[in-house]
Amino acid sequence: MFEQYMPRPMRERIRRVVTPYMALLKLQLDVPPGTRPRTVQQLVAAGRLKLVAGQYRLG
């Protein structure tokens, strides 16, 4: 909804920056209502993320 109030170049920039992280954000925010979002460390401990060559990969 906020997109309609933003200039087109800014919308495109936000999409370009946020899109690569959408899968990680979905993993972090997929929690029941009233629960704090998961941290990257919690996802690594649960085996959902792996550290490969200094970067986190979905696993």
Side-chain angles (χ1 to χ4, degrees):
M1 185 172 196
F2 71 92
E3 286 186 359
Q4 57 186 317
Y5 300 107
M6 297 175 67
R8 176 177 229 133
M10 186 169 283
R11 282 185 283 187
E12 292 171 0
R13 180 173 180 245
I14 289 172
R15 280 194 192 105
R16 191 174 57 247
V17 170
V18 172
T19 301
Y21 298 102
M22 286 303 293
L24 175 61
L25 289 171
K26 286 179 184 178
L27 278 176
Q28 287 184 295
L29 298 175
D30 184 29
V31 295
T35 306
R36 296 180 68 129
R38 295 180 183 110
T39 64
V40 172
Q41 290 83 6
Q42 288 173 331
L43 293 171
V44 169
R48 299 257 184 125
L49 287 179
K50 294 181 181 182
L51 188 61
V52 177
Q55 296 183 345
Y56 291 107
R57 304 280 181 192
L58 296 177

